[in-house]
Amino acid sequence: MSGLNNLRFLGAIVNIRKEKNDLPQMLNYLNSNRHKLREAQLEIRAYGEEEVVLPFRDLLSCHCLHQLTIFSGRCEFQKVKPPLSPSNLSELSLLQCSIEGDPMSVLGDLPNLRRLLFLLVDLVDRKVMIIDANAFPKLASLEIIAIKNLEKWVVAEGSMPNLSHLEIAYCHELEMTPDEYYNTQKVGN
């Protein structure tokens, strides 16, 4: 990608397999100063017998990355420690991933995140997701669909002030939904 110095927008699908992983090359390009890229949309598809551990901190540090979709793989949120570098990520979709650590403690600090989707994910070492006060300042849409092992969702007052769309579905182990979010568009279990 070294010859694409005038590129302004990039939409890419990166396939990861045990024997071939182009993600480090892509991250090097996105984090370099050798381009004029303003916005990138990245879809990562991790395949194979063994779970691929994704470099989530490196992904969040890509200043031009606005949309990120991850199919499969393992996201280790417990290894992402603040402070995070400024992120322009506005949309994040985690699909069929396994998640270690509390994703909300990391993602809630992303200042530009407006849409967040969890679909068919597996919480590996926790059964609780906690959203702290002042988290998700610009989040407008949150979809939590079929999260395995999610038993409790704790939402602090003052978080998600711009939330206008909430969908919770097929989280059969979830004990209850915070009361203040029943007035949003769609809540079901």
Side-chain angles (χ1 to χ4, degrees), residues 80-152:
V80 179
K81 303 293 183 206
L84 296 173
S85 62
S87 175
N88 289 315
L89 191 65
S90 61
E91 293 187 26
L92 175 63
S93 299
L94 299 174
L95 313 168
Q96 299 178 339
C97 299
S98 62
I99 294 176
E100 293 183 19
D102 186 357
M104 299 306 196
S105 64
V106 173
L107 301 176
D109 289 337
L110 298 176
N112 296 304
L113 192 62
R114 289 176 175 79
R115 182 175 180 274
L116 179 58
L117 167 65
F118 295 97
L119 176 64
L120 296 168
V121 300
D122 183 9
L123 296 179
V124 175
D125 60 349
R126 308 182 53 98
K127 296 179 186 283
V128 177
M129 288 196 311
I130 300 171
I131 300 178
D132 296 324
N134 302 317
F136 298 105
K138 292 185 180 175
L139 191 68
S141 175
L142 175 60
E143 297 173 74
I144 300 174
I145 303 169
I147 293 185
K148 186 177 177 184
N149 299 324
L150 178 61
E151 293 178 0
K152 190 172 182 182

Side-chain angles (χ1 to χ4, degrees), residues 33-72:
N33 293 326
R34 299 181 311 242
H35 58 70
K36 297 177 183 173
L37 199 58
R38 291 190 181 137
E39 182 177 337
Q41 297 176 356
L42 195 57
E43 182 176 303
I44 300 171
R45 298 179 180 180
Y47 299 106
E49 297 293 319
E50 297 179 27
E51 270 190 326
V52 176
V53 178
L54 299 168
F56 215 80
R57 183 177 182 90
D58 296 338
L59 288 165
L60 294 179
S61 70
C62 294
H63 300 293
C64 60
L65 187 59
H66 287 252
Q67 293 179 355
L68 176 61
T69 301
I70 298 175
F71 287 99
S72 194

